């Protein structure tokens, strides 16, 4: 019987662990979401104005309203470079 109790104990432990994992994953997603939002809070290095999110030619970017440049994520940049070839 003591063995059964131990098994139940480890089962409960597994459930607890799974819950923690789920919580950690959720936290990761929240962090990623926060980082994404931070990108749109990025200021232009030239004029310090906040970049504006927009989509041009199907590419999502955050661009300086004064036209100094734009932040494009790496995947989008790579697909752009590939299209040029
Ligand atoms: Zn600028």
């Amino acid at each position: 019987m003591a063995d059964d109790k131990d098994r139940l104990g480890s089962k409960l432990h597994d459930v607890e662990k799974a819950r923690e994992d789920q919580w950690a994953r959720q936290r990761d997603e929240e962090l990623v979401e926060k980082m994404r939002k931070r990108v749109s809070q990025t200021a232009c290095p030239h004029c310090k104005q906040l970049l504006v999110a927009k989509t041009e030619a199907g590419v999502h970017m955050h661009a300086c309203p004064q036209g100094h440049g734009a932040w494009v994520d790496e995947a989008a940049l790579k697909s752009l470079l590939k299209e040029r070839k």
Side-chain angles (χ1 to χ4, degrees):
M1 273 310 180
D3 195 37
D4 277 356
K5 204 177 170 188
D6 280 354
R7 226 177 283 154
L8 182 65
S10 80
K11 188 115 186 158
L12 280 174
H13 182 77
D14 286 351
V15 170
E16 202 76 11
K17 183 92 177 64
R19 245 182 233 152
E20 269 171 34
D21 287 350
Q22 197 183 4
W23 180 80
R25 241 196 318 271
Q26 213 167 345
R27 229 179 104 84
D28 280 354
E29 278 165 20
E30 276 171 23
L31 280 175
V32 168
E33 192 61 34
K34 261 185 203 158
M35 278 167 74
R36 255 190 221 133
K37 276 178 190 157
R38 201 175 298 155
V39 168
S40 62
Q41 298 285 306
T42 305
C44 170
H46 293 282
C47 65
K48 309 294 180 205
Q49 286 195 50
L50 287 181
L51 303 184
V52 179
K54 62 177 179 179
T55 303
E56 242 171 68
V59 180
H60 185 67
M61 62 181 79
H62 290 93
C64 167
Q66 303 291 317
H68 291 129
W71 173 276
V72 182
D73 70 47
E74 198 182 2
L77 183 63
K78 275 185 180 159
S79 77
L80 266 178
L81 293 173
K82 217 184 267 175
E83 272 171 37
R84 284 192 57 190
K85 278 182 192 166

